Amino acid sequence: MLRSIAAALMALPLAASPALAAEVIVSPTPLPPSHDRPRVFLGGSIKMGVARDWQADLIAALADEPAILLNPRRPDWDPAWKPVAEEPHFRQQVEWELSALDSADVIVMYLAPGTQSPISLLELGLHGRSGRIVLLCPDGFWRKGNVDITAERYGITRVATFEDLVPEVRARLKRWKPE
């Protein structure tokens, strides 16, 4: 059903004014200098070929929100890039994600069944006490027990399904106030 909702939303024309619709920033595009709209980081499982492109589904579901959606899933990712600090493309990705996480008002963390997502676990640990995370960690995620216990201890907001994720993010966007 969510796919049909996402497809219907994708078919709708976006609002005429960019201030009335979501703007998607994909890594490595620089973050906007002004922070005049809430920012949502789309963190979590990205493993190509294993994790579905849930970011696209969430982007479609939030298309009408006046928010900046920060998507680390880049279409030009090259798995040949070595995961070392000296690799310029890899460094660029990691630095973009760290900056996007730091600037986000809401951090969505979806840990997909069948994935391990070690970087997402690192990011969950870095921002777990921030009060900005909305976490979806369904049965079947590699370390669900660790995630659930950590979320419980640090008061991380959890949702049970992807369908529950959208209204929780929308509610947080409605509460956003510019600094």
Side-chain angles (χ1 to χ4, degrees):
M1 180 168 143
L2 184 58
R3 286 264 183 217
S4 61
I5 293 170
L9 286 171
M10 292 293 280
L12 293 174
L14 293 179
S17 167
L20 300 176
E23 178 183 353
V24 180
I25 306 292
V26 178
S27 174
T29 304
L31 302 178
S34 65
H35 199 127
D36 56 350
R37 294 194 277 168
R39 296 179 181 200
V40 180
F41 182 81
L42 308 180
S45 302
I46 293 182
K47 187 170 183 179
M48 302 300 189
V50 177
R52 80 177 209 251
D53 188 354
W54 64 269
Q55 289 93 344
D57 297 337
L58 191 58
I59 289 166
L62 298 174
D64 63 331
E65 289 288 344
I68 305 289
L69 306 178
L70 305 171
N71 188 0
R73 185 188 286 256
R74 59 191 284 180
D76 66 341
W77 178 257
D78 184 346
W81 294 336
K82 293 181 181 171
V84 296
E86 297 77 24
E87 167 63 56
H89 295 292
F90 181 77
R91 174 178 285 279
Q92 178 188 46
Q93 178 69 23
V94 172
E95 288 181 353
W96 185 92
E97 288 187 33
L98 291 171
S99 295
L101 281 158
D102 287 343
S103 77
D105 302 294
V106 179
I107 299 171
V108 173
M109 192 65 59
Y110 173 50
L111 303 173
T115 67
Q116 292 189 348
S117 309
I119 303 309
S120 298
L121 291 173
L122 170 69
E123 294 167 346
L124 179 65
L126 284 171
H127 297 278
R129 294 180 184 195
S130 70
R132 297 180 290 144
I133 294 179
V134 178
L135 174 65
L136 171 55
C137 184
D139 289 338
F141 180 70
W142 172 63
R143 302 303 294 188
K144 180 172 174 43
N146 294 77
V147 171
D148 286 344
I149 293 165
T150 301
E152 184 179 301
R153 173 165 292 199
Y154 297 111
I156 297 170
T157 300
R158 292 179 282 172
V159 295
T161 66
F162 193 85
E163 289 76 13
D164 297 333
L165 188 59
V166 175
E168 178 62 31
V169 173
R170 285 184 182 276
R172 287 179 178 234
L173 293 174
K174 284 185 185 2
R175 294 191 302 261
W176 181 79
K177 303 273 189 261
E179 294 179 5

